[in-house]
Amino acid sequence: MLGTSDDIIHKGLDKINDISVALMRRMTLGRYIAVDESSAPELSEIVTSVCRILDYPEVPKIYICHQAAQTIFCAGTDTMIIVISDYIIENFDMDMLYYTIGNTISMFKSGHVSMVTAYAIMPEMLLTAPVELGIKKYLRAADMTSDRGGLLACQNISAALKCILWEAGIPLTEIRYLDEKETIQLARSYIKSVENISLDCVTGLAAHLKEYNMDFMPHPYRINELLKWYETGYQELIKKRGG
């Protein structure tokens, strides 16, 4: 039985679904290039394969944009859309692409994407305190699963960490050829370097960013949590699946 805030959230999602789909079509039309298995067979195969690995029934529509930036985003409620920059496609190796797409598909699967899409276009007058708190609580919980989904998709901790480190601002040229041991060592060093910053400063900055973007999760926290899961839950899950 859904609680009051859950009822409001789900009713709101139902009502604005058509609006969100129309909005995303306007955003993509003319700005990005739609691709499929005929025009981008390798990328389409990765997306399809990741959906199969993560047991996600719908393969999202894929769009490519021309940007030398850290660009991959997803949106939609019923219509699922992934936009990925050609920089990522050209510069990520296969395992990194599997992680990145796996992370994205996990956000679809957890409901993270549809909730963010709804939240972004929901009229401000509908954002009562119970609705807003309910959405933010849900997003924070759902966001924890996306990095794990990416790791399950690529099954390569080095590739997963490289993607997060790159998002954190470390040049790809400095991490591209690191082996697993070197990547884990760099990731742990990165966490320690952030810990040396004033705790008050980090706490204040994180609080500000989370208020500005409620699905933001600090990179050191993501790395630390993924490493913990890799050494415990991930290993057990892989053993149960027979490796």
Side-chain angles (χ1 to χ4, degrees):
M1 186 70 179
L2 292 172
T4 302
S5 62
D6 286 334
D7 284 332
I8 296 173
I9 291 170
H10 284 278
K11 287 179 181 178
L13 282 172
D14 289 340
K15 289 182 180 180
I16 66 174
N17 179 58
D18 291 340
I19 300 174
S20 68
V21 171
L23 175 64
M24 290 311 303
R25 284 173 179 165
R26 286 199 298 273
M27 287 175 62
T28 56
L29 185 61
R31 294 182 59 188
Y32 308 120
I33 301 172
V35 297
D36 54 26
E37 59 275 4
S38 60
S39 56
E42 188 174 84
L43 180 60
S44 297
E45 173 57 30
I46 292 174
V47 174
T48 301
S49 178
V50 168
C51 288
R52 184 167 57 249
I53 292 170
L54 298 179
D55 194 27
Y56 188 69
E58 180 183 354
V59 178
K61 296 181 181 299
I62 309 169
Y63 291 81
I64 294 177
C65 61
H66 178 62
Q67 287 185 342
Q70 302 174 13
T71 302
I72 179 167
F73 65 86
C74 45
T77 51
D78 283 347
T79 300
M80 304 301 181
I81 295 171
I82 294 177
V83 179
I84 183 169
S85 71
D86 52 5
Y87 177 86
I88 290 177
I89 296 171
E90 293 169 3
N91 289 279
F92 276 20
D93 62 28
M94 186 68 71
D95 285 341
M96 291 176 71
L97 282 172
Y98 262 86
Y99 168 81
T100 300
I101 299 298
N103 186 296
T104 303
I105 296 301
S106 294
M107 288 193 284
F108 280 125
K109 188 170 182 177
S110 68
H112 183 283
V113 177
S114 60
M115 195 67 76
V116 169
T117 303
Y119 186 90
I121 67 172
M122 192 180 294
E124 187 173 346
M125 62 183 178
L126 294 179
L127 289 177
T128 61
V131 173
E132 187 166 7
L133 288 174
I135 290 177
K136 287 187 176 182
K137 180 180 178 181
Y138 181 85
L139 290 176
R140 285 192 292 269
D143 190 52
M144 294 297 296
T145 67
S146 62
D147 288 328
R148 295 180 179 185
L151 178 56
L152 286 173
C154 72
Q155 296 186 30
N156 184 328
I157 187 61
S158 181
L161 291 173
K162 285 177 183 177
C163 288
I164 302 176
L165 289 167
W166 178 71
E167 289 177 24
I170 298 179
L172 197 57
T173 52
E174 294 185 15
I175 58 178
R176 188 193 306 274
Y177 300 111
L178 297 181
D179 60 25
E180 182 176 309
K181 183 178 179 180
E182 292 169 331
T183 306
I184 292 176
Q185 183 178 359
L186 175 62
R188 295 195 186 282
S189 296
Y190 173 74
I191 294 172
K192 287 183 179 179
S193 69
V194 174
E195 288 175 348
N196 291 331
I197 301 174
S198 167
L199 181 61
D200 290 339
C201 174
V202 174
T203 302
L205 177 62
H208 170 73
L209 289 173
K210 280 193 175 183
E211 182 62 29
Y212 178 74
N213 181 3
M214 66 271 183
D215 66 337
F216 175 86
M217 188 65 69
H219 297 105
Y221 186 85
R222 290 174 58 194
I223 291 171
N224 191 50
E225 289 300 306
L226 188 61
L227 281 171
K228 285 181 182 177
W229 189 67
Y230 173 70
E231 294 167 353
T232 56
Y234 170 81
Q235 301 294 346
E236 290 299 317
L237 184 58
I238 293 300
K239 286 179 182 179
K240 289 180 180 178
R241 292 189 173 186

PDB file of all heavy atoms in Angstrom, residues 147-149 151-152 155 157 224-243:
ATOM      1  N   ASP A 147      26.372   2.955 -10.123  1.00  0.00           N
ATOM      2  CA  ASP A 147      27.770   2.552 -10.264  1.00  0.00           C
ATOM      3  C   ASP A 147      27.917   1.041 -10.172  1.00  0.00           C
ATOM      4  O   ASP A 147      28.740   0.442 -10.876  1.00  0.00           O
ATOM      5  CB  ASP A 147      28.636   3.215  -9.184  1.00  0.00           C
ATOM      6  CG  ASP A 147      28.828   4.705  -9.435  1.00  0.00           C
ATOM      7  OD1 ASP A 147      28.862   5.109 -10.601  1.00  0.00           O
ATOM      8  OD2 ASP A 147      28.931   5.461  -8.452  1.00  0.00           O
ATOM      9  N   ARG A 148      27.121   0.416  -9.316  1.00  0.00           N
ATOM     10  CA  ARG A 148      27.174  -1.045  -9.206  1.00  0.00           C
ATOM     11  C   ARG A 148      26.691  -1.691 -10.499  1.00  0.00           C
ATOM     12  O   ARG A 148      27.252  -2.695 -10.959  1.00  0.00           O
ATOM     13  CB  ARG A 148      26.320  -1.511  -8.027  1.00  0.00           C
ATOM     14  CG  ARG A 148      26.839  -1.033  -6.680  1.00  0.00           C
ATOM     15  CD  ARG A 148      25.966  -1.518  -5.542  1.00  0.00           C
ATOM     16  NE  ARG A 148      26.469  -1.071  -4.240  1.00  0.00           N
ATOM     17  CZ  ARG A 148      25.951  -1.429  -3.083  1.00  0.00           C
ATOM     18  NH1 ARG A 148      24.904  -2.248  -3.040  1.00  0.00           N
ATOM     19  NH2 ARG A 148      26.475  -0.989  -1.950  1.00  0.00           N
ATOM     20  N   GLY A 149      25.645  -1.118 -11.079  1.00  0.00           N
ATOM     21  CA  GLY A 149      25.151  -1.638 -12.352  1.00  0.00           C
ATOM     22  C   GLY A 149      26.194  -1.511 -13.451  1.00  0.00           C
ATOM     23  O   GLY A 149      26.349  -2.405 -14.286  1.00  0.00           O
ATOM     24  N   LEU A 151      29.453  -1.549 -13.029  1.00  0.00           N
ATOM     25  CA  LEU A 151      30.481  -2.559 -12.778  1.00  0.00           C
ATOM     26  C   LEU A 151      29.996  -3.944 -13.205  1.00  0.00           C
ATOM     27  O   LEU A 151      30.760  -4.724 -13.788  1.00  0.00           O
ATOM     28  CB  LEU A 151      30.875  -2.566 -11.301  1.00  0.00           C
ATOM     29  CG  LEU A 151      31.908  -3.615 -10.872  1.00  0.00           C
ATOM     30  CD1 LEU A 151      33.185  -3.494 -11.698  1.00  0.00           C
ATOM     31  CD2 LEU A 151      32.220  -3.477  -9.384  1.00  0.00           C
ATOM     32  N   LEU A 152      28.747  -4.262 -12.930  1.00  0.00           N
ATOM     33  CA  LEU A 152      28.198  -5.548 -13.359  1.00  0.00           C
ATOM     34  C   LEU A 152      28.203  -5.665 -14.882  1.00  0.00           C
ATOM     35  O   LEU A 152      28.409  -6.750 -15.436  1.00  0.00           O
ATOM     36  CB  LEU A 152      26.779  -5.726 -12.826  1.00  0.00           C
ATOM     37  CG  LEU A 152      26.645  -6.045 -11.335  1.00  0.00           C
ATOM     38  CD1 LEU A 152      25.174  -6.026 -10.924  1.00  0.00           C
ATOM     39  CD2 LEU A 152      27.269  -7.399 -11.005  1.00  0.00           C
ATOM     40  N   GLN A 155      32.218  -5.689 -15.700  1.00  0.00           N
ATOM     41  CA  GLN A 155      32.956  -6.666 -14.895  1.00  0.00           C
ATOM     42  C   GLN A 155      34.457  -6.379 -14.922  1.00  0.00           C
ATOM     43  O   GLN A 155      35.293  -7.282 -15.057  1.00  0.00           O
ATOM     44  CB  GLN A 155      32.643  -8.090 -15.387  1.00  0.00           C
ATOM     45  CG  GLN A 155      31.175  -8.443 -15.191  1.00  0.00           C
ATOM     46  CD  GLN A 155      30.849  -9.880 -15.523  1.00  0.00           C
ATOM     47  OE1 GLN A 155      31.681 -10.757 -15.384  1.00  0.00           O
ATOM     48  NE2 GLN A 155      29.613 -10.118 -15.951  1.00  0.00           N
ATOM     49  N   ILE A 157      36.801  -3.672 -12.657  1.00  0.00           N
ATOM     50  CA  ILE A 157      36.854  -2.598 -11.675  1.00  0.00           C
ATOM     51  C   ILE A 157      37.750  -1.464 -12.147  1.00  0.00           C
ATOM     52  O   ILE A 157      37.505  -0.287 -11.844  1.00  0.00           O
ATOM     53  CB  ILE A 157      37.335  -3.131 -10.293  1.00  0.00           C
ATOM     54  CG1 ILE A 157      37.237  -2.040  -9.214  1.00  0.00           C
ATOM     55  CG2 ILE A 157      38.731  -3.689 -10.387  1.00  0.00           C
ATOM     56  CD1 ILE A 157      35.860  -1.512  -8.953  1.00  0.00           C
ATOM     57  N   ASN A 224      34.726   5.289  -3.146  1.00  0.00           N
ATOM     58  CA  ASN A 224      34.859   4.543  -1.896  1.00  0.00           C
ATOM     59  C   ASN A 224      33.783   3.461  -1.780  1.00  0.00           C
ATOM     60  O   ASN A 224      34.075   2.310  -1.427  1.00  0.00           O
ATOM     61  CB  ASN A 224      34.776   5.501  -0.707  1.00  0.00           C
ATOM     62  CG  ASN A 224      35.162   4.831   0.596  1.00  0.00           C
ATOM     63  OD1 ASN A 224      36.207   4.189   0.698  1.00  0.00           O
ATOM     64  ND2 ASN A 224      34.331   4.983   1.607  1.00  0.00           N
ATOM     65  N   GLU A 225      32.547   3.824  -2.079  1.00  0.00           N
ATOM     66  CA  GLU A 225      31.448   2.868  -1.980  1.00  0.00           C
ATOM     67  C   GLU A 225      31.577   1.748  -3.007  1.00  0.00           C
ATOM     68  O   GLU A 225      31.274   0.588  -2.723  1.00  0.00           O
ATOM     69  CB  GLU A 225      30.107   3.591  -2.156  1.00  0.00           C
ATOM     70  CG  GLU A 225      29.714   4.480  -0.991  1.00  0.00           C
ATOM     71  CD  GLU A 225      29.591   3.698   0.306  1.00  0.00           C
ATOM     72  OE1 GLU A 225      28.845   2.706   0.329  1.00  0.00           O
ATOM     73  OE2 GLU A 225      30.271   4.064   1.281  1.00  0.00           O
ATOM     74  N   LEU A 226      32.033   2.096  -4.219  1.00  0.00           N
ATOM     75  CA  LEU A 226      32.180   1.067  -5.253  1.00  0.00           C
ATOM     76  C   LEU A 226      33.294   0.087  -4.891  1.00  0.00           C
ATOM     77  O   LEU A 226      33.158  -1.129  -5.087  1.00  0.00           O
ATOM     78  CB  LEU A 226      32.475   1.712  -6.608  1.00  0.00           C
ATOM     79  CG  LEU A 226      32.448   0.755  -7.805  1.00  0.00           C
ATOM     80  CD1 LEU A 226      31.074   0.119  -7.967  1.00  0.00           C
ATOM     81  CD2 LEU A 226      32.845   1.484  -9.087  1.00  0.00           C
ATOM     82  N   LEU A 227      34.394   0.586  -4.348  1.00  0.00           N
ATOM     83  CA  LEU A 227      35.482  -0.292  -3.924  1.00  0.00           C
ATOM     84  C   LEU A 227      35.041  -1.220  -2.799  1.00  0.00           C
ATOM     85  O   LEU A 227      35.386  -2.416  -2.790  1.00  0.00           O
ATOM     86  CB  LEU A 227      36.686   0.543  -3.466  1.00  0.00           C
ATOM     87  CG  LEU A 227      37.561   1.126  -4.583  1.00  0.00           C
ATOM     88  CD1 LEU A 227      38.578   2.103  -4.011  1.00  0.00           C
ATOM     89  CD2 LEU A 227      38.269   0.015  -5.363  1.00  0.00           C
ATOM     90  N   LYS A 228      34.269  -0.698  -1.862  1.00  0.00           N
ATOM     91  CA  LYS A 228      33.756  -1.532  -0.768  1.00  0.00           C
ATOM     92  C   LYS A 228      32.880  -2.646  -1.321  1.00  0.00           C
ATOM     93  O   LYS A 228      33.004  -3.809  -0.922  1.00  0.00           O
ATOM     94  CB  LYS A 228      32.928  -0.678   0.209  1.00  0.00           C
ATOM     95  CG  LYS A 228      33.734   0.215   1.132  1.00  0.00           C
ATOM     96  CD  LYS A 228      32.795   0.970   2.062  1.00  0.00           C
ATOM     97  CE  LYS A 228      33.540   1.912   2.978  1.00  0.00           C
ATOM     98  NZ  LYS A 228      32.588   2.686   3.838  1.00  0.00           N
ATOM     99  N   TRP A 229      31.996  -2.295  -2.248  1.00  0.00           N
ATOM    100  CA  TRP A 229      31.089  -3.295  -2.811  1.00  0.00           C
ATOM    101  C   TRP A 229      31.847  -4.300  -3.667  1.00  0.00           C
ATOM    102  O   TRP A 229      31.532  -5.490  -3.673  1.00  0.00           O
ATOM    103  CB  TRP A 229      30.005  -2.615  -3.637  1.00  0.00           C
ATOM    104  CG  TRP A 229      28.921  -3.560  -4.070  1.00  0.00           C
ATOM    105  CD1 TRP A 229      28.013  -4.193  -3.279  1.00  0.00           C
ATOM    106  CD2 TRP A 229      28.659  -3.993  -5.412  1.00  0.00           C
ATOM    107  NE1 TRP A 229      27.189  -4.997  -4.045  1.00  0.00           N
ATOM    108  CE2 TRP A 229      27.569  -4.882  -5.354  1.00  0.00           C
ATOM    109  CE3 TRP A 229      29.234  -3.696  -6.642  1.00  0.00           C
ATOM    110  CZ2 TRP A 229      27.038  -5.481  -6.482  1.00  0.00           C
ATOM    111  CZ3 TRP A 229      28.711  -4.294  -7.775  1.00  0.00           C
ATOM    112  CH2 TRP A 229      27.618  -5.181  -7.693  1.00  0.00           C
ATOM    113  N   TYR A 230      32.879  -3.836  -4.387  1.00  0.00           N
ATOM    114  CA  TYR A 230      33.685  -4.716  -5.233  1.00  0.00           C
ATOM    115  C   TYR A 230      34.358  -5.801  -4.399  1.00  0.00           C
ATOM    116  O   TYR A 230      34.467  -6.954  -4.834  1.00  0.00           O
ATOM    117  CB  TYR A 230      34.743  -3.897  -5.968  1.00  0.00           C
ATOM    118  CG  TYR A 230      35.733  -4.734  -6.746  1.00  0.00           C
ATOM    119  CD1 TYR A 230      35.339  -5.417  -7.897  1.00  0.00           C
ATOM    120  CD2 TYR A 230      37.061  -4.844  -6.331  1.00  0.00           C
ATOM    121  CE1 TYR A 230      36.245  -6.187  -8.615  1.00  0.00           C
ATOM    122  CE2 TYR A 230      37.968  -5.613  -7.038  1.00  0.00           C
ATOM    123  CZ  TYR A 230      37.555  -6.282  -8.175  1.00  0.00           C
ATOM    124  OH  TYR A 230      38.446  -7.051  -8.887  1.00  0.00           O
ATOM    125  N   GLU A 231      34.773  -5.436  -3.191  1.00  0.00           N
ATOM    126  CA  GLU A 231      35.496  -6.375  -2.330  1.00  0.00           C
ATOM    127  C   GLU A 231      34.561  -7.280  -1.530  1.00  0.00           C
ATOM    128  O   GLU A 231      35.012  -8.239  -0.916  1.00  0.00           O
ATOM    129  CB  GLU A 231      36.399  -5.587  -1.380  1.00  0.00           C
ATOM    130  CG  GLU A 231      37.525  -4.854  -2.109  1.00  0.00           C
ATOM    131  CD  GLU A 231      38.222  -3.826  -1.240  1.00  0.00           C
ATOM    132  OE1 GLU A 231      37.733  -3.589  -0.109  1.00  0.00           O
ATOM    133  OE2 GLU A 231      39.236  -3.257  -1.684  1.00  0.00           O
ATOM    134  N   THR A 232      33.283  -6.980  -1.548  1.00  0.00           N
ATOM    135  CA  THR A 232      32.329  -7.784  -0.765  1.00  0.00           C
ATOM    136  C   THR A 232      31.180  -8.299  -1.623  1.00  0.00           C
ATOM    137  O   THR A 232      31.226  -9.403  -2.149  1.00  0.00           O
ATOM    138  CB  THR A 232      31.783  -6.953   0.415  1.00  0.00           C
ATOM    139  OG1 THR A 232      31.191  -5.737  -0.097  1.00  0.00           O
ATOM    140  CG2 THR A 232      32.882  -6.600   1.396  1.00  0.00           C
ATOM    141  N   GLY A 233      30.145  -7.496  -1.781  1.00  0.00           N
ATOM    142  CA  GLY A 233      28.931  -7.931  -2.471  1.00  0.00           C
ATOM    143  C   GLY A 233      29.131  -8.331  -3.911  1.00  0.00           C
ATOM    144  O   GLY A 233      28.540  -9.317  -4.379  1.00  0.00           O
ATOM    145  N   TYR A 234      29.979  -7.629  -4.638  1.00  0.00           N
ATOM    146  CA  TYR A 234      30.204  -7.935  -6.051  1.00  0.00           C
ATOM    147  C   TYR A 234      30.807  -9.324  -6.211  1.00  0.00           C
ATOM    148  O   TYR A 234      30.359 -10.114  -7.041  1.00  0.00           O
ATOM    149  CB  TYR A 234      31.128  -6.884  -6.668  1.00  0.00           C
ATOM    150  CG  TYR A 234      31.614  -7.238  -8.058  1.00  0.00           C
ATOM    151  CD1 TYR A 234      30.805  -7.020  -9.176  1.00  0.00           C
ATOM    152  CD2 TYR A 234      32.883  -7.790  -8.258  1.00  0.00           C
ATOM    153  CE1 TYR A 234      31.242  -7.351 -10.451  1.00  0.00           C
ATOM    154  CE2 TYR A 234      33.335  -8.111  -9.530  1.00  0.00           C
ATOM    155  CZ  TYR A 234      32.510  -7.893 -10.620  1.00  0.00           C
ATOM    156  OH  TYR A 234      32.948  -8.220 -11.887  1.00  0.00           O
ATOM    157  N   GLN A 235      31.826  -9.621  -5.405  1.00  0.00           N
ATOM    158  CA  GLN A 235      32.486 -10.918  -5.504  1.00  0.00           C
ATOM    159  C   GLN A 235      31.527 -12.062  -5.222  1.00  0.00           C
ATOM    160  O   GLN A 235      31.549 -13.102  -5.901  1.00  0.00           O
ATOM    161  CB  GLN A 235      33.683 -10.966  -4.535  1.00  0.00           C
ATOM    162  CG  GLN A 235      34.740  -9.891  -4.771  1.00  0.00           C
ATOM    163  CD  GLN A 235      35.465 -10.063  -6.095  1.00  0.00           C
ATOM    164  OE1 GLN A 235      35.384 -11.102  -6.738  1.00  0.00           O
ATOM    165  NE2 GLN A 235      36.192  -9.028  -6.507  1.00  0.00           N
ATOM    166  N   GLU A 236      30.673 -11.880  -4.230  1.00  0.00           N
ATOM    167  CA  GLU A 236      29.690 -12.909  -3.891  1.00  0.00           C
ATOM    168  C   GLU A 236      28.688 -13.106  -5.014  1.00  0.00           C
ATOM    169  O   GLU A 236      28.290 -14.233  -5.341  1.00  0.00           O
ATOM    170  CB  GLU A 236      28.961 -12.532  -2.588  1.00  0.00           C
ATOM    171  CG  GLU A 236      29.824 -12.613  -1.343  1.00  0.00           C
ATOM    172  CD  GLU A 236      30.352 -14.015  -1.108  1.00  0.00           C
ATOM    173  OE1 GLU A 236      29.551 -14.981  -1.267  1.00  0.00           O
ATOM    174  OE2 GLU A 236      31.546 -14.170  -0.793  1.00  0.00           O
ATOM    175  N   LEU A 237      28.257 -11.982  -5.617  1.00  0.00           N
ATOM    176  CA  LEU A 237      27.289 -12.053  -6.713  1.00  0.00           C
ATOM    177  C   LEU A 237      27.868 -12.766  -7.917  1.00  0.00           C
ATOM    178  O   LEU A 237      27.200 -13.599  -8.552  1.00  0.00           O
ATOM    179  CB  LEU A 237      26.842 -10.634  -7.079  1.00  0.00           C
ATOM    180  CG  LEU A 237      25.755 -10.518  -8.164  1.00  0.00           C
ATOM    181  CD1 LEU A 237      24.504 -11.279  -7.730  1.00  0.00           C
ATOM    182  CD2 LEU A 237      25.424  -9.045  -8.401  1.00  0.00           C
ATOM    183  N   ILE A 238      29.121 -12.474  -8.236  1.00  0.00           N
ATOM    184  CA  ILE A 238      29.780 -13.121  -9.395  1.00  0.00           C
ATOM    185  C   ILE A 238      29.915 -14.624  -9.141  1.00  0.00           C
ATOM    186  O   ILE A 238      29.722 -15.449 -10.052  1.00  0.00           O
ATOM    187  CB  ILE A 238      31.152 -12.490  -9.661  1.00  0.00           C
ATOM    188  CG1 ILE A 238      30.992 -11.034 -10.133  1.00  0.00           C
ATOM    189  CG2 ILE A 238      31.916 -13.298 -10.699  1.00  0.00           C
ATOM    190  CD1 ILE A 238      30.204 -10.879 -11.401  1.00  0.00           C
ATOM    191  N   LYS A 239      30.241 -15.008  -7.903  1.00  0.00           N
ATOM    192  CA  LYS A 239      30.368 -16.429  -7.574  1.00  0.00           C
ATOM    193  C   LYS A 239      29.025 -17.153  -7.750  1.00  0.00           C
ATOM    194  O   LYS A 239      28.957 -18.262  -8.276  1.00  0.00           O
ATOM    195  CB  LYS A 239      30.837 -16.589  -6.124  1.00  0.00           C
ATOM    196  CG  LYS A 239      32.301 -16.246  -5.908  1.00  0.00           C
ATOM    197  CD  LYS A 239      32.677 -16.406  -4.457  1.00  0.00           C
ATOM    198  CE  LYS A 239      34.134 -16.011  -4.208  1.00  0.00           C
ATOM    199  NZ  LYS A 239      34.503 -16.135  -2.772  1.00  0.00           N
ATOM    200  N   LYS A 240      27.952 -16.501  -7.317  1.00  0.00           N
ATOM    201  CA  LYS A 240      26.616 -17.114  -7.448  1.00  0.00           C
ATOM    202  C   LYS A 240      26.225 -17.300  -8.900  1.00  0.00           C
ATOM    203  O   LYS A 240      25.487 -18.219  -9.244  1.00  0.00           O
ATOM    204  CB  LYS A 240      25.577 -16.244  -6.739  1.00  0.00           C
ATOM    205  CG  LYS A 240      25.692 -16.288  -5.205  1.00  0.00           C
ATOM    206  CD  LYS A 240      24.629 -15.398  -4.573  1.00  0.00           C
ATOM    207  CE  LYS A 240      24.751 -15.446  -3.047  1.00  0.00           C
ATOM    208  NZ  LYS A 240      23.759 -14.554  -2.387  1.00  0.00           N
ATOM    209  N   ARG A 241      26.711 -16.383  -9.767  1.00  0.00           N
ATOM    210  CA  ARG A 241      26.396 -16.478 -11.175  1.00  0.00           C
ATOM    211  C   ARG A 241      27.372 -17.371 -11.930  1.00  0.00           C
ATOM    212  O   ARG A 241      27.329 -17.465 -13.161  1.00  0.00           O
ATOM    213  CB  ARG A 241      26.392 -15.090 -11.813  1.00  0.00           C
ATOM    214  CG  ARG A 241      25.246 -14.205 -11.331  1.00  0.00           C
ATOM    215  CD  ARG A 241      25.168 -12.941 -12.165  1.00  0.00           C
ATOM    216  NE  ARG A 241      24.009 -12.153 -11.841  1.00  0.00           N
ATOM    217  CZ  ARG A 241      23.647 -11.056 -12.503  1.00  0.00           C
ATOM    218  NH1 ARG A 241      24.381 -10.657 -13.535  1.00  0.00           N
ATOM    219  NH2 ARG A 241      22.583 -10.373 -12.162  1.00  0.00           N
ATOM    220  N   GLY A 242      28.280 -17.983 -11.184  1.00  0.00           N
ATOM    221  CA  GLY A 242      29.229 -18.897 -11.809  1.00  0.00           C
ATOM    222  C   GLY A 242      30.374 -18.211 -12.510  1.00  0.00           C
ATOM    223  O   GLY A 242      30.956 -18.747 -13.448  1.00  0.00           O
ATOM    224  N   GLY A 243      30.701 -16.951 -12.034  1.00  0.00           N
ATOM    225  CA  GLY A 243      31.820 -16.220 -12.630  1.00  0.00           C
ATOM    226  C   GLY A 243      31.467 -15.513 -13.896  1.00  0.00           C
ATOM    227  O   GLY A 243      32.345 -15.064 -14.618  1.00  0.00           O
TER     228      GLY A 243
END
